[in-house]
Amino acid sequence: MTPVAGAATPPPSHPGAASWTARPAVSGSGTGGRPYFYLEGPPGTVLQDRLSVTNPGPFPVTVRLSGADADDAKSGGSGARAGGEGATGTGRWLRTAVTEVTVPARTRADVPFTVTVPAGATPGDHPGAIVVRGGDRSVGVPVRLRVGGPTLAALTVEDVSVSGRAIHYTLVNRGNAVLAPRIAVRADGVFGTLLRREARTLPVRVRPGQRLRLTEPWRDVPALDSATVRLRVTAAGGAHGEATARAVFVPWAPLSAGALLVLAAAGAGTYTYRRRRSRDRQPDDEQRPGRSPGDEERPGRSSGDQQHSRSRRLAKAGAES
C-alpha cells in the first residue's frame, strides 16, 4: 500500500464517511484514468496491477478488499470474502496485498494486487472484479482478464416461447470469449409476415458458459392467427445460432362468452323437454284402461271381499234385467 498524500494528524474515523472512491491506479503523472483493469497473459503466469482508494473527506475511512467473479461483483460482492473465497474463476485467482486498509482524510492509497493464472486455465475471457466495501457502500472495480491461447466463439439461442406480448428466449455462450450478441426477429402467420426486425446489437455481454434469459417485446400481436417465430443471433468470431417456436393466438374472451351462451341455451332446452315428457307420462285416473270410477280400492278391505262385492253387483243386475 502506497499513501500518496496524507494529513499529519488525521482525526478519528467517522462511521458515516462514505465519500471514498475506488478505481484503477493512474500513472505517476496523474493522467490516463482507466474505467477497468485489463490483464492478459498465458496460463501459468502472474499478472500485477494497483487499485487506488481515494478519501477526499475530512475523516479517515476503512475499507475491505476482496476478489470476486463478475456475477458476484454485480450483486455487491455479497458472496465474495477476503482472499477470493467463494469465487470460482478470476475472483479466486486474484489476491490483494492487504484485505483491509484505512485511508486518512484527503489521501489516496494505492493497493497492489496479483492475478495468478492457473496452468490449466481455459484460453479466452475471464471477467472478475475487486470488491471494495466501506461503511454502507460496496463498489466492484471490473477486472477483464484474457488468457492467451486459441479463442472459440460459440453462441446458441434456446427455449424460445411466446407469452402475452413478449417473446422469451435464452442465450448460451458455449465458447471461451465474451460475446456482444446481435439478434434478428421474424414472425410469419397464416396470411403473411407479422413481425420483422433487422439484426441489432443487444445491450448485454455474455460471458463464457453463461446462460442469459432475455425478453423481446411484441406489442402488436395478432388477435387470431398461428405464427412461426424465428430468432437468429450472431456475434464476433463467427458465432451464430437460430431457433424457432410456434404460437397460436385466440381471442379467448369472446369465445368464452359464446360458450357460456351455448351452454345456457342447451340447459334451458333440456329442462323444457324433460318437463313436457313428465306431463305426458302422468294421465288422469279416469282415463286408465280396465278401471271404472267405482272400482277404486278402498283401504282396509281384502281382495276376497272385493271379489264378493263384484259378484253380488253382477247378480243384482241380472235379476233386474
Side-chain angles (χ1 to χ4, degrees):
M1 182 184 66
T2 307
V4 177
T9 307
S13 177
H14 190 272
S19 59
W20 55 268
T21 60
R23 58 173 57 93
V26 298
S27 61
S29 61
T31 61
R34 298 173 290 171
Y36 55 84
F37 294 103
Y38 180 80
L39 303 173
E40 184 175 2
T45 59
V46 179
L47 308 173
Q48 300 179 357
D49 211 320
R50 292 178 301 138
L51 172 75
S52 289
V53 180
T54 304
N55 176 20
F59 303 101
V61 172
T62 299
V63 296
R64 297 179 301 280
L65 313 173
S66 62
D69 294 336
D71 283 340
D72 193 40
K74 290 181 179 179
S75 64
S78 57
R81 296 183 293 276
E85 297 180 11
T88 58
T90 304
R92 191 174 185 84
W93 308 339
L94 192 151
R95 293 289 186 275
T96 56
V98 294
T99 58
E100 183 175 295
V101 58
T102 298
V103 185
R106 293 176 290 276
T107 302
R108 187 185 82 225
D110 290 347
V111 182
F113 71 91
T114 61
V115 177
T116 303
V117 183
T122 304
D125 297 321
H126 297 265
I130 299 177
V131 177
V132 186
R133 304 184 188 89
D136 57 354
R137 294 180 58 205
S138 180
V139 175
V141 183
V143 177
R144 296 185 180 179
L145 171 64
R146 186 171 185 83
V147 179
T151 301
L152 172 63
L155 183 66
T156 60
V157 55
E158 304 174 0
D159 303 329
V160 181
S161 64
V162 179
S163 177
R165 298 179 180 273
I167 303 171
H168 307 277
Y169 61 97
T170 300
L171 294 182
V172 184
N173 187 342
R174 301 190 178 279
N176 58 15
V178 176
L179 301 177
R182 293 172 56 84
I183 187 169
V185 184
R186 178 167 180 167
D188 296 311
V190 177
F191 304 104
T193 301
L194 302 173
L195 176 66
R196 185 170 184 177
R197 294 176 183 168
E198 300 298 333
R200 73 184 193 282
T201 302
L202 295 174
V204 297
R205 293 175 63 87
V206 190
R207 302 186 314 278
Q210 183 182 15
R211 300 179 63 90
L212 193 60
R213 187 68 174 171
L214 299 173
T215 299
E216 183 78 9
W218 188 4
R219 296 181 179 86
D220 300 327
V221 296
L224 179 63
D225 209 334
S226 177
T228 300
V229 180
R230 294 181 176 85
L231 271 66
R232 178 176 174 81
V233 294
T234 58
H240 66 277
E242 185 172 344
T244 62
R246 296 282 298 177
V248 178
F249 302 94
V250 178
W252 293 110
L255 288 181
S256 300
L260 290 176
L261 290 176
V262 171
L263 290 175
T270 302
Y271 176 74
T272 303
Y273 174 76
R274 288 182 176 178
R275 288 198 60 184
R276 289 179 179 176
R277 289 291 302 272
S278 177
R279 287 198 300 266
D280 294 342
R281 291 179 180 179
Q282 295 180 2
D284 296 337
D285 292 339
E286 296 179 355
Q287 299 176 356
R288 294 178 186 175
R291 295 189 64 182
S292 62
D295 292 341
E296 295 182 358
E297 297 181 358
R298 299 177 182 177
R301 299 182 63 184
S302 63
S303 59
D305 295 339
Q306 295 175 3
Q307 184 176 4
H308 180 67
S309 177
R310 285 196 294 270
S311 299
R312 290 179 59 187
R313 287 198 299 270
L314 291 174
K316 184 179 179 179
E320 291 177 354
S321 62

